[in-house]
Amino acid sequence: MNPADIVRMFSLAAVWGASFLFMRIIAPVLGAFPTAFFRVSIAAVGLLAILALMRVKWDFKGKFRVCLMLGVINSGLPATLYSVAAKVLPAGYSSIFNATTPLMGVLIGGLFFHEKLSLNKLLGIFLGLFGVAVLTRAGPVAFDLQLLMGAGACLLATTSYGFAGFLTRRWLDHQGGLDPRLSALGSMCGATLAILPFFATSAITQPPASWGGFEVWGALLGLGLICTAFAYIIYFKLLSNIGPVKSMTVTFMIPAFGVLWGALFLDEPLSMAHLYGGVLIAVALWLVLKPAVVKASAVADR
């Protein structure tokens, strides 16, 4: 990985870590479907403005429908599932469960996309999961049905991400293909269209007791514009440069930021186990990325 992609990965981890903070503020007030809908629709509007300001050429190369389909898998479904989890789980918890994405990516890649499952990748993934388990057991939430339901929603979301990473590479062919900014816009449009009927139904049949105030809508703007619109431009660029499995390893770093933001802004408790789990996850990230580093060094030596 070159220095620019390393910076992109850390920036993406910090921004996506903040998304769990924002969802934890919004979802208990508005509910899951409104939270997810406003997230992706605000992101779509933000991307439209960004692309207009940057004067990006609007050429989807016949892949607009594919972008819409990917948006359902990569944005709509995960946004809804994480909003469900945010109603019951602390921000740090959801960010920790999110770290299972690379495991799903490796398993899905090996089972469905002919990716090689090297020993380093498998060892790194399972060490990362062990770090996730350490962090989970250290948290303040009791091990009950609500925790299991929230965790299940997060794991379904990471499964969606695992499939979406490979499908994005297969269907959009970023190498000399579709502009990542257009990919992000198409994804948000697809997610918005997919969630719209569910949002409309919930708003009519079970409207929230309150539509929130400045704090909730400020969090929505941050969630839609920064954590989604801006973040997806970075994410699709990483997919183009380093591939789906290495891109998904950014989720190993998200828990550290998610726990940090939750502790700073929502007073979620910390313990030494968070440090132990964080170290395990950092080692796991190194193991997963190590083959690329060794290969790059060998090429440089020649």
Side-chain angles (χ1 to χ4, degrees):
M1 289 172 59
N2 61 47
D5 286 327
I6 293 173
V7 170
R8 289 187 185 99
M9 183 170 282
F10 274 92
S11 299
L12 190 58
V15 168
W16 271 346
S19 70
F20 298 102
L21 165 70
F22 291 139
M23 284 188 287
R24 183 59 175 160
I25 293 171
I26 303 161
V29 178
L30 299 186
F33 286 121
T35 301
F37 175 75
F38 286 124
R39 175 181 187 174
V40 296
S41 59
I42 290 172
V45 172
L47 283 167
L48 282 170
I50 291 171
L51 268 60
L53 289 172
M54 298 178 72
R55 298 182 179 179
V56 174
K57 184 180 180 181
W58 289 65
D59 182 7
F60 280 90
K61 301 184 178 180
K63 297 179 179 179
F64 183 64
R65 290 185 181 179
V66 170
C67 289
L68 294 179
M69 291 172 59
L70 283 172
V72 178
I73 302 169
N74 195 51
S75 306
L77 186 56
T80 303
L81 290 167
Y82 277 123
S83 296
V84 169
K87 294 177 66 175
V88 296
L89 295 183
Y93 260 62
S94 293
S95 66
I96 289 165
F97 286 123
N98 186 69
T100 60
T101 298
L103 171 62
M104 301 302 182
V106 166
L107 292 178
I108 288 167
L111 291 173
F112 300 104
F113 296 94
H114 309 292
E115 288 282 323
K116 183 179 179 181
L117 298 177
S118 68
L119 180 61
N120 274 343
K121 284 183 180 179
L122 290 173
L123 181 61
I125 293 299
F126 285 106
L127 185 61
L129 285 178
F130 182 62
V132 167
V134 170
L135 285 169
T136 302
R137 298 301 296 174
V141 178
F143 191 80
D144 57 15
L145 183 60
Q146 276 198 331
L147 173 62
L148 291 176
M149 291 177 63
C154 291
L155 293 177
L156 285 173
T158 60
T159 302
S160 232
Y161 283 143
F163 273 106
F166 288 100
L167 292 176
T168 297
R169 196 177 193 184
R170 171 174 288 189
W171 291 350
L172 295 186
D173 185 22
H174 279 300
Q175 300 299 329
L178 189 61
D179 188 320
R181 295 165 293 185
L182 292 177
S183 302
L185 174 61
S187 181
M188 290 303 107
C189 290
T192 300
L193 292 173
I195 299 173
L196 177 58
F198 298 99
F199 163 67
T201 302
S202 68
I204 294 170
T205 60
Q206 293 180 319
S210 167
W211 286 98
F214 175 79
E215 181 182 27
V216 168
W217 286 92
L220 268 172
L221 288 174
L223 182 63
L225 296 177
I226 299 173
C227 299
T228 309
F230 175 69
Y232 268 84
I233 290 176
I234 301 175
Y235 175 66
F236 278 106
K237 183 64 176 176
L238 281 173
L239 279 178
S240 173
N241 290 353
I242 64 177
V245 171
K246 293 187 183 68
S247 294
M248 285 184 285
T249 58
V250 70
T251 54
F252 277 151
M253 298 181 285
I254 290 174
F257 287 102
V259 170
L260 175 62
W261 302 147
L264 286 177
F265 298 105
L266 298 179
D267 295 323
E268 294 179 1
L270 293 172
S271 71
M272 286 301 295
H274 287 83
L275 176 62
Y276 303 148
V279 170
L280 288 169
I281 289 171
V283 174
L285 175 63
W286 178 78
L287 284 170
V288 171
L289 295 178
K290 184 181 177 182
V293 174
V294 171
K295 184 177 178 180
S297 298
V299 171
D301 289 342
R302 291 180 192 146

